[in-house]
Amino acid sequence: MALAAAAVLAAVALVPACGNSSSNSSGGGSSTTAGGAAKPSAEPGVTDTEIRVGGVASVTNPLGGKYDQAFDGVKAYFDMVNSEGGVNGRQLKLVSERDDKVASNKDEVRGLLEQDNVFAVLPVATLLFTGADELVAAGVPTFGWTINPEWQGSADNPKANLFGQAGSYLCLGCEQPAVPYIAKEAGKSKVGLLGYAVPQSSQCVDGYDKSFTKYGDEAGASVVFKDSSLSYGTTDFSVQVAKMKDAGVDMVVTCIDTNGVVGLAKELKKQDVKAIQYLPNAYDQELLDEYGDLFEGSYLYTSFLPLESDEPSQGMKDYRKWIEKAGGEVGENSLVGWLNAALFVEGLRKAGPDFTRQKVIDAINSETDWTADGLLSGVDWTESHTQRTNISCSATLKVVDSKFQPVEGPGGTPFVCFDLASGTLEAVRQ
Amino acid sequence: MSGPLLEAEAVSKRFSGIVALSDVSLHVADGEFVAVIGPNGAGKSTLFNCLSGVLRPDRGTVTFRGRSLERLRPSARARLGIARTFQRIELFGGMTVLDHLLVADRARTRRGGLWSDLFRGSRPTSEELERCGIVLELVGLTEWADRPAESLSLGKGRLVELARALMCDPALLFLDEPSSGLDRHETAEMSATLETVSRQHGTAIVLIEHDVPMVRRLAERTYVLDYGQLIADGPTEDVLGDERVRVAYLGDNS
Amino acid sequence: METLLENAVRGIPTGCVFALLAVGLVLTYKTSGVFNLAFGAQAYASAAVFYVVRKDHEWPLLWAALLAVVVVGPAIGLLLERVLFRYLRTAGSMAKLVTSLGLLIAIPEVVKLVLGDESRKNPPPLWYVMRTDEWLWPRNTSIVLDAGQIATIAATVTVVVALVLLFRFSSLGLRMRAVVESPRMAELNGVDSERVSMTSWMLSSLLAGLAGVLLAPLFASLNPLDLFTLLVAALAATVFGGLTSIPLTFAGGLLLGVLQAVLAGSLPTDSILATGLRPALPFLVLFLLLLFRPGLRSTREVTDPLATVEAPPPAPVALVRPHWMTVGTRAFGAVVVALGLAACWFLLDGYWLGLVISGIILGIIMMSLIVVVGMGGMLSLCQAALAAIGAFGTAQLVAATGMSVLGAIVIGAVIAAGVGALLAVPVVRLDGVYLALATLAFALMFESIFVPLSWVSGGAVPLSVPRPLIGPIDLADDRWFLLFAVLCAAAVSAVVIRLREGTTGRFLQALQTSDVAAASIGISGRRSRVVAFTVAAAIAGFGGGLMATYVGQANYQSSFPYLIGLVWVALLVSAGARSVQAAVLSGLFFFLFPAILTRLFTFPGNWVESNPDAPSWVASALGAIQPNWAQSVAFILFGIGAITYAKHPEGSIEAQTATSVGAIVRWVERRRGDAGTGPSDPVPPPSPEVTDAPPLAGTGRPTADSGSPG
């Protein structure tokens, strides 16, 4: 009993003396001859030949999400950069791919900081982000996916070193023009809102309600049905759909998960309701492969260039080429990793041969129009930690024949942008 | 003190279709030793359960010192001064013989509770040990005080149950077949102990037994139950000689 | 009115889903005495098999269904019975429930190992269509059923009718119930209880397999958690049926579905009533039924007339250990703790230090389980919610008043105690499984109704909690926080030991082993249990506050989801629900073990990479070790743990300690020589089915001096 306790503690004490980082290194031939000599650096995670980074993802998670693909995106970008000689005379290497198993985010972030000897932390693709404060306190450049509220900063805590894939500010429950714009595009006038009684979901529904209040007149659409008291995990939408049918709803906007969205779609079909959906997080071709006919005519939007774009930008071409080479899957998950890596490398380049962590952070924060080579509509990092940019852009997609089809903005651009200050759905140039 | 210690009037109980007790009345005075006999299934244990509060009778009243026991749960009745043993022995697991007695004593003295446990500790005081010692001596278990009660034989176990009941300093003691499973020697010891308890301590006792000599020796009055009904009651010798009782229970040879 | 009726009818398909799952649970309980919370996991296993053979290998529907439902389902049941539940037949309902909790976690992991981890979208239906919405009936009305719903309704009705016939008219049904009541008695009557028990498990597992395959298409992808969420909502129906009546359970499921649909239709969708009530409805109904349904048959350990044939369970170590040994062990323990603390202080880096801190704090929360489960005999499945209350209280107080965190933690614990007391009053009079279900209902209601409220949890953004300052010492430094946590753990363990060995503990012990005898000496079960529950709630709340302080946030999803509360219970009970060492070790184990295991299996690969000039045989030997073996090893260890637990329901640490104590005592006494003989009492011979460790009174003590210092 007490002996067992001693054994456990002894084992624990020995382990850190052994071994250092976990898991695989980044792929590709890491040639040691880099273009240009590297200046010696005292920064952690930086050797004469390498810049090492580590990341954490909710690889093991109960929802079946594929967050580990973010690592592939980072590795693919690094492969590309390394093949051109690296950055600041060094090769880039993802040395640590931690799995926070959802509940251990703080611990794994600790591990990255204390054990893995990395210069920067990327990607962070996790369901919870309890380790955020540690990263802020450590001042480490951190890049990840803004699915948690901890990414955004505030006036007294700007969290200037946390960089989301397209800005760090998540405005849950804010009015936004993108979805009313979609209603207008699709010619729909009667909107139904559905959400779970969980705060993230119900706040999101309130946000859409406010959006239609603000922009609805112009869009020619209004909310005629709203229910944010669904129980999470419900499989039966028959009552809600019946009510929406009575109200004549032709577009359903939801803040629910994939199970819900599919169940809802089946019920809409059953009750012969001719309504399309706005899909909040269904940018997944596999989903359309199985259920595409249910979502015919539905819409969604992304903050990055759609993968199906007819005129892929250079960034998109690079992404496709290198992710395939690395054996990863094309999709939102790996694209986010790619975007993270791209921003990091940009920071490294701008910081120059004398780069330090703080210099990289400052370099990125001076960017006013970051597009990742045409993958984003332009992020202004001088303000994206603490507020929404005044110009809000999105790329609209429609489901046609079980495939995602990009919908061009006015003027043939992939993104449609709105000036939030104007309060109208008047599309503006960037 | 006027009136009987315990008075049960017209107690009836059925278990969906089966009549366990029908109109049974019983009374015990202070210090009296009364027996309840009858064939198996006659309702004797059911009667005890109704009197001690484990079961609620469908009809009838039970009063103790003139006060109705109707609304009282078994633990409340116990605190009034009623103790009992069980037909199927009910010892506490993981406790020594001494622990059993201490627990009963503390339940009686209301010692214990969060504050007392945390700040004053719960070592047995010398008074407690003395009281336990007396009862252990009485039932003859002094050398066994530190043994886990569960590891003892049935005979010793029954003595532990008896000792535990006695620690409550009861005015009234219900004993449910205390000699069941004991050999002749143990039964004789048990009898002697009960006699002491009754004579020296003045505890009123209601005894369910199959051992007729024991009943004859100890009980002043006897009730006879058969199929849930009282078929005889009165001074023990008279009842044991009663024709109906012989037919129903005793057989013709006694 | 018309709409009301329509909505009611709309609730019937979901009602059948609830009914099917509930009937499965009741069937298992009736025929094996186990309230099998792993029913959903078994269902998932069959659904996964069906998916793989039907979709990946394109088997014809009939063969796929036969394999998944008729072969795999009962095979799992048979395996579980032979390997685990056979040993638990005479154990209490707590041991059985805890085992099913362990299986709930383990079975999906096994499925992952055997069938792989890919996401499985669009589970195929048990019907000749590719997707359930391909076939709809009737058309052109406002209430339309799809293929899956029709199949579910048909299957549920068939199952209910078949089971009613089985139990009412067949001798197998009678034999099944007899074996649950008293296996020995049934044997004496010529019933082969082994055979019957196996049949029972195979039958209920068959039903689990059917449920899994039928219900999987309700979801967009196959996932064990979804089925468990459905199962948990169906619990109310099982209680409606009193855990015995299949037709009533069926009715209960239907009523629940109908009620849900009616409320969804009638309550104004924006109202607070709707937001609070609708998600929580199944749990609220469960709770109310448990409290108010008349005639809930006592689940208290079935009074097997032949139970006394078993040798008594081994006496707890703390009882029979000589005093010198107790003192010695405690002193030794203190030394170990001090050394361990020093080791952590100087040797560990932040990562491991953090895990140890989390482990110690969880150890404190586990100590609350010692009080409520080990001492009180009440299987509380809501300790996570109580810990969360402590955490939220701490966070809200600090945010609102800026008071010292330490004070806030204490007040948070008091709030948790208050809630615990309020909950305890109606709940303690329930016994066994019912009490466990009531606490589970509370945990679920807390999650659905209170956690989303911003005045409780802060809403979508978790509340942050600062580290305290004690004089000049800033506990933001984890080393100091570790010391602080260890001191708190020591204090709480002192409290728990005091209570356990004091009158409170004795009264609870008496109540647990024979509450009728305890009542007969004047111990009020209700009062003692409410006190135990409240104290446990206070300790849990205290631990929760500490946890939130360590993490820096009162984050419910990360630290206190209700499922984790179930894992805690399973872990502690299998280690030893009365032992403070078990509590601390379980807490440490929970956090350290996965990390150590991962390291162990990634270290060889990393070492090989960092040492390219190592001899090649070393490199290939180490290189062969794959990181994902960690999972298989974890599973195997878990399996061994489960089987050990089944044989030692008093807890494996307890059993281990008992064996070591016995050995040491024997050794010491052999050295002392026989100091005279005491009265030796014939001990009933252990029955052949009893565990390897014979009752302590029989080990090495037949001639020992029983007058040794007690």
Side-chain angles (χ1 to χ4, degrees):
Chain A
M1 5 110 234
L3 293 165
V8 168
L9 289 173
V12 163
L14 284 175
V15 171
C18 332
N20 166 343
S21 62
S22 49
S23 181
N24 326 317
S25 50
S26 79
S30 35
S31 65
T32 44
T33 48
K39 278 186 94 170
S41 169
E43 288 288 293
V46 179
T47 69
D48 289 339
T49 53
E50 282 183 351
I51 301 173
R52 311 163 74 172
V53 307
V56 58
S58 294
V59 181
T60 312
N61 69 79
L63 305 177
K66 294 286 170 119
Y67 300 104
D68 52 326
Q69 290 173 351
F71 294 132
D72 296 334
V74 169
K75 285 188 275 194
Y77 194 88
F78 282 2
D79 287 346
M80 180 176 83
V81 168
N82 288 339
S83 73
E84 294 160 6
V87 181
N88 293 340
R90 293 169 174 85
Q91 299 276 294
L92 297 168
K93 212 167 167 192
L94 178 68
V95 295
S96 175
E97 295 177 34
R98 287 180 173 260
D99 177 6
D100 77 343
K101 302 188 183 75
V102 182
S104 316
N105 185 270
K106 187 182 164 88
D107 300 311
E108 295 304 315
V109 163
R110 274 275 176 92
L112 280 172
L113 293 175
E114 303 227 5
Q115 297 181 318
D116 293 346
N117 195 23
V118 294
F119 177 72
V121 170
L122 68 145
V124 177
T126 56
L127 288 172
L128 296 173
F129 196 17
T130 46
D133 288 338
E134 308 244 337
L135 290 166
V136 172
V140 172
T142 307
F143 305 84
W145 200 347
T146 54
I147 45 183
N148 328 93
E150 288 88 347
W151 286 96
Q152 64 195 37
S154 59
D156 29 75
N157 184 10
K159 300 192 188 177
N161 63 320
L162 300 184
F163 299 102
Q165 82 281 10
S168 295
Y169 194 78
L170 262 187
C171 197
L172 204 60
C174 291
E175 326 145 320
Q176 42 89 311
V179 176
Y181 174 76
I182 289 174
K184 183 176 164 192
E185 268 289 302
K188 304 295 178 186
S189 56
K190 298 208 166 123
V191 175
L193 298 177
L194 288 180
Y196 296 128
V198 170
Q200 289 86 341
S201 186
S202 50
Q203 260 188 37
C204 163
V205 166
D206 284 338
Y208 288 132
D209 203 5
K210 283 192 272 191
S211 306
F212 278 98
T213 308
K214 185 163 182 183
Y215 297 103
D217 285 340
E218 208 183 317
S222 61
V223 174
V224 298
F225 176 81
K226 177 179 167 188
D227 187 352
S228 54
S229 311
L230 298 174
S231 59
Y232 179 74
T234 186
T235 52
D236 182 27
F237 295 89
S238 53
V239 172
Q240 286 78 15
V241 168
K243 284 187 171 181
M244 287 199 283
K245 186 173 181 178
D246 285 343
V249 165
D250 52 17
M251 174 167 163
V252 185
V253 175
T254 65
C255 299
I256 61 184
D257 62 351
T258 310
N259 277 336
V261 147
V262 169
L264 175 65
K266 288 183 183 175
E267 191 65 38
L268 287 169
K269 175 176 169 183
K270 273 163 69 174
Q271 295 195 32
D272 209 24
V273 177
K274 305 268 187 280
I276 62 166
Q277 281 198 52
Y278 159 70
L279 301 170
N281 50 17
Y283 192 36
D284 179 6
Q285 184 58 45
E286 269 183 38
L287 189 69
L288 286 191
D289 290 340
E290 299 285 354
Y291 295 112
D293 57 311
L294 290 175
F295 297 117
E296 189 68 20
S298 292
Y299 283 81
L300 56 126
Y301 75 84
T302 60
S303 56
F304 47 80
L305 187 72
L307 299 162
E308 296 79 8
S309 193
D310 284 336
E311 295 168 9
S313 60
Q314 185 56 42
M316 181 57 78
K317 290 183 193 158
D318 288 337
Y319 164 71
R320 280 186 175 275
K321 174 179 167 195
W322 288 95
I323 198 79
E324 210 181 290
K325 266 189 152 181
E329 269 183 52
V330 170
E332 188 173 10
N333 297 329
S334 61
L335 184 62
V336 168
W338 175 275
L339 290 169
N340 291 152
L343 187 60
F344 172 59
V345 169
E346 174 73 6
L348 275 178
R349 287 198 171 117
K350 278 183 96 168
D354 279 324
F355 66 96
T356 63
R357 280 172 169 172
Q358 191 57 48
K359 279 195 180 171
V360 169
I361 294 169
D362 292 338
I364 298 175
N365 281 330
S366 64
E367 274 281 345
T368 53
D369 191 24
W370 164 245
T371 67
D373 230 352
L375 284 172
L376 300 170
S377 65
V379 180
D380 181 352
W381 280 108
T382 61
E383 33 173 51
S384 284
H385 291 288
T386 54
Q387 61 191 65
R388 294 197 286 171
T389 43
N390 269 331
I391 310 291
S392 160
C393 300
S394 52
T396 313
L397 291 142
K398 185 175 175 180
V399 176
V400 174
D401 276 342
S402 300
K403 294 254 180 308
F404 294 110
Q405 200 180 78
V407 174
E408 284 184 346
T413 56
F415 293 97
V416 58
C417 297
F418 307 98
D419 183 350
L420 291 177
S422 76
T424 69
L425 289 179
E426 188 77 38
V428 299
R429 280 263 102 153
Q430 256 248 267
Chain B
M1 163 104 145
S2 63
L5 181 64
L6 176 83
E7 174 132 36
E9 195 86 48
V11 171
S12 304
K13 178 77 181 165
R14 49 183 325 146
F15 295 113
S16 51
I18 301 175
V19 176
L21 291 174
S22 171
D23 222 20
V24 175
S25 298
L26 173 151
H27 64 88
V28 187
D30 277 287
E32 240 197 323
F33 202 127
V34 158
V36 176
I37 63 174
N40 278 327
K44 309 188 292 297
S45 289
T46 311
L47 178 62
F48 263 18
N49 285 337
C50 287
L51 296 176
S52 64
V54 174
L55 291 174
R56 184 176 275 171
D58 301 325
R59 273 197 312 284
T61 58
V62 182
T63 56
F64 182 76
R65 293 213 165 106
R67 175 186 168 176
S68 166
L69 293 182
E70 197 183 317
R71 297 221 152 264
L72 297 183
R73 289 201 306 275
S75 53
R77 297 187 196 201
R79 283 193 286 270
L80 287 178
I82 303 174
R84 68 171 290 179
T85 65
F86 299 88
Q87 183 177 22
R88 265 184 55 204
I89 193 172
E90 296 274 348
L91 291 176
F92 298 140
M95 289 166 71
T96 62
V97 173
L98 183 62
D99 286 334
H100 278 71
L101 272 53
L102 276 174
V103 162
D105 189 62
R106 286 182 181 174
R108 181 183 62 87
T109 59
R110 310 280 182 96
R111 178 195 162 172
L114 287 182
W115 307 116
S116 137
D117 282 341
L118 289 176
F119 301 115
R120 277 184 274 147
S122 48
R123 276 261 151 88
T125 63
S126 48
E127 292 92 16
E128 286 176 331
L129 287 174
E130 208 182 300
R131 286 196 289 270
C132 293
I134 294 173
V135 173
L136 282 172
E137 188 73 44
L138 175 63
V139 299
L141 285 176
T142 316
E143 311 95 77
W144 305 82
D146 290 321
R147 298 289 222 103
E150 277 172 318
S151 67
L152 300 179
S153 64
L154 183 60
K156 299 266 185 299
R158 290 212 181 275
L159 289 173
V160 173
E161 259 203 342
L162 177 63
R164 178 181 68 193
L166 291 175
M167 284 303 297
C168 304
D169 201 18
L172 174 60
L173 188 56
F174 288 129
L175 300 170
D176 198 341
E177 299 195 34
S179 77
S180 157
L182 304 190
D183 63 30
R184 284 216 340 227
H185 178 64
E186 291 167 324
T187 307
E189 279 189 356
M190 173 73 78
S191 276
T193 310
L194 292 182
E195 199 164 10
T196 314
V197 169
S198 169
R199 303 277 149 76
Q200 285 184 12
H201 297 260
T203 313
I205 296 182
V206 182
L207 173 74
I208 292 180
E209 255 308 332
H210 284 297
D211 188 325
V212 176
M214 194 184 196
V215 169
R216 196 172 255 141
R217 173 178 166 190
L218 297 172
E220 294 153 29
R221 286 186 299 116
T222 301
Y223 291 86
V224 185
L225 283 180
D226 190 24
Y227 288 111
Q229 289 182 313
L230 214 48
I231 60 173
D233 73 275
T236 306
E237 273 313 318
D238 298 347
V239 163
L240 290 179
D242 189 315
E243 191 58 41
R244 286 168 301 165
V245 173
R246 282 182 188 232
V247 166
Y249 180 50
L250 293 172
D252 283 323
N253 289 345
S254 61
Chain C
M1 232 3 185
E2 190 202 83
T3 333
L4 195 69
L5 190 61
E6 277 182 358
N7 284 334
V9 173
R10 289 205 172 93
I12 290 181
T14 312
C16 273
V17 170
F18 291 146
L20 185 63
L21 291 169
V23 164
L25 281 172
V26 170
L27 175 67
T28 320
Y29 186 72
K30 241 171 113 103
T31 58
S32 70
V34 176
F35 196 85
N36 187 17
L37 287 174
F39 188 84
Q42 285 181 262
Y44 167 72
S46 287
V49 168
F50 185 71
Y51 187 103
V52 166
V53 298
R54 181 96 171 105
K55 255 188 141 167
D56 297 345
H57 299 289
E58 288 175 24
W59 282 23
L61 180 67
L62 188 60
W63 293 113
L66 278 178
L67 177 69
V69 176
V70 180
V71 173
V72 168
I76 295 177
L78 185 61
L79 182 70
L80 293 178
E81 198 275 337
R82 287 286 87 192
V83 164
L84 286 176
F85 289 109
R86 160 163 67 146
Y87 302 108
L88 291 173
R89 244 180 262 150
T90 48
S93 58
M94 198 182 302
K96 294 173 180 169
L97 198 63
V98 164
T99 308
S100 77
L101 284 176
L103 288 171
L104 169 66
I105 302 159
I107 291 179
E109 293 297 311
V110 178
V111 173
K112 220 163 58 162
L113 271 175
V114 171
L115 294 178
D117 201 7
E118 310 86 56
S119 88
R120 302 200 162 97
K121 295 196 161 71
N122 193 10
L126 188 63
W127 196 258
Y128 281 101
V129 292
M130 280 321 291
R131 233 171 46 199
T132 58
D133 56 288
E134 273 179 30
W135 201 92
L136 303 175
W137 177 85
R139 301 209 168 251
N140 300 323
T141 57
S142 63
I143 299 177
V144 185
L145 300 174
D146 68 24
Q149 290 173 321
I150 297 172
T152 306
I153 296 175
T156 310
V157 170
T158 312
V159 162
V160 168
V161 168
L163 289 176
V164 167
L165 291 176
L166 174 74
F167 285 112
R168 202 157 286 201
F169 299 116
S170 85
S171 64
L172 176 63
L174 195 57
R175 274 180 274 148
M176 282 172 162
R177 280 149 62 206
V179 167
V180 172
E181 290 262 351
S182 173
R184 283 218 165 73
M185 191 80 106
E187 293 255 335
L188 290 175
N189 278 301
V191 172
D192 182 345
S193 47
E194 296 285 310
R195 256 276 189 75
V196 171
S197 185
M198 289 194 276
T199 312
S200 302
W201 272 98
M202 286 169 66
L203 181 63
S204 49
S205 302
L206 175 78
L207 190 50
L210 179 65
V213 175
L214 259 183
L215 301 178
L218 285 173
F219 303 100
S221 56
L222 198 55
N223 181 327
L225 204 57
D226 294 326
L227 281 168
F228 185 68
T229 310
L230 271 183
L231 186 75
V232 140
L235 290 174
T238 64
V239 176
F240 190 82
L243 292 190
T244 47
S245 160
I246 304 250
L248 269 184
T249 306
F250 174 63
L254 284 181
L255 282 174
L256 187 63
V258 165
L259 186 60
Q260 219 179 29
V262 164
L263 282 181
S266 350
L267 285 179
T269 54
D270 252 349
S271 63
I272 297 187
L273 194 60
T275 319
L277 185 61
R278 280 169 50 199
L281 183 71
F283 318 126
L284 190 59
V285 171
L286 173 62
F287 193 71
L288 292 175
L289 278 175
L290 283 166
L291 258 43
F292 298 117
R293 184 196 190 280
L296 278 185
R297 202 184 131 215
S298 169
T299 68
R300 183 111 321 157
E301 321 321 328
V302 197
T303 48
D304 180 353
L306 293 181
T308 47
V309 172
E310 302 280 355
V317 175
L319 183 68
V320 290
R321 167 166 76 181
H323 187 66
W324 57 264
M325 207 171 173
T326 306
V327 171
T329 311
R330 299 253 164 95
F332 181 62
V335 169
V336 166
V337 168
L339 285 178
L341 192 58
C344 291
W345 191 283
F346 296 110
L347 294 180
L348 293 187
D349 65 23
Y351 176 70
W352 293 105
L353 196 62
L355 290 175
V356 171
I357 294 176
S358 303
I360 303 271
I361 298 178
L362 181 59
I364 294 178
I365 300 180
M366 294 290 207
M367 289 186 209
S368 79
L369 281 170
I370 293 181
V371 176
V372 66
V373 178
M375 285 164 59
M378 301 180 275
L379 198 67
S380 164
L381 300 179
C382 63
Q383 294 306 100
L386 293 168
I389 292 176
F392 290 143
T394 307
Q396 292 281 10
L397 280 169
V398 170
T401 66
M403 69 183 295
S404 146
V405 183
L406 295 175
I409 294 177
V410 170
I411 299 183
V414 171
I415 297 175
V419 173
L422 278 176
L423 177 63
V425 169
V427 155
V428 294
R429 60 185 174 81
L430 299 169
D431 48 48
V433 172
Y434 294 128
L435 188 143
L437 289 178
T439 57
L440 183 61
F442 170 74
L444 290 161
M445 284 194 291
F446 180 73
E447 192 167 291
S448 336
I449 304 177
F450 291 98
V451 173
L453 298 172
S454 62
W455 60 267
V456 174
S457 69
V461 181
L463 297 165
S464 58
V465 181
R467 292 279 182 94
L469 276 173
I470 303 184
I473 303 175
D474 185 359
L475 293 189
D477 180 350
D478 274 347
R479 292 200 162 82
W480 286 108
F481 198 85
L482 173 66
L483 180 61
F484 174 63
V486 169
L487 289 174
C488 289
V492 172
S493 63
V495 165
V496 169
I497 292 177
R498 272 289 172 113
L499 288 180
R500 189 183 69 199
E501 292 174 358
T503 314
T504 312
R506 293 288 185 222
F507 280 11
L508 288 170
Q509 171 101 6
L511 282 165
Q512 223 192 39
T513 49
S514 170
D515 65 328
V516 63
S520 76
I521 56 176
I523 298 178
S524 164
R526 200 169 293 195
R527 182 158 175 267
S528 293
R529 291 196 174 106
V530 169
V531 167
F533 203 95
T534 308
V535 169
I539 297 176
F542 181 68
L546 282 177
M547 185 66 95
T549 308
Y550 165 67
V551 173
Q553 269 185 349
N555 190 323
Y556 182 82
Q557 285 306 328
S558 170
S559 313
F560 313 110
Y562 83 92
L563 271 175
I564 218 87
L566 304 185
V567 174
W568 292 346
V569 172
L571 197 51
L572 182 71
V573 174
S574 49
R578 292 177 64 91
S579 154
V580 167
Q581 297 106 294
V584 174
L585 286 176
S586 314
L588 286 170
F589 176 89
F590 182 82
F591 282 101
L592 291 171
F593 182 69
I596 293 178
L597 204 60
T598 313
R599 296 303 252 195
L600 225 47
F601 281 89
T602 53
F603 168 65
N606 290 345
W607 189 89
V608 167
E609 260 185 43
S610 347
N611 293 288
D613 20 87
S616 65
W617 63 271
V618 173
S620 46
L622 289 182
I625 299 177
Q626 300 292 336
N628 55 20
W629 288 5
Q631 217 187 350
S632 322
V633 168
F635 166 66
I636 292 170
L637 288 176
F638 174 86
I640 295 176
I643 297 174
T644 312
Y645 172 69
K647 293 185 171 177
H648 291 280
E650 75 275 13
S652 45
I653 293 198
E654 185 64 27
Q656 193 51 47
T657 315
T659 319
S660 0
V661 165
I664 295 179
V665 167
R666 271 201 303 281
W667 181 82
V668 166
E669 277 166 356
R670 231 176 282 132
R671 293 198 64 193
R672 274 196 201 162
D674 283 359
T677 56
S680 86
D681 199 48
V683 172
S687 88
E689 268 168 348
V690 134
T691 68
D692 307 316
L696 213 53
T699 29
R701 272 189 150 232
T703 53
D705 178 14
S706 58
S708 59

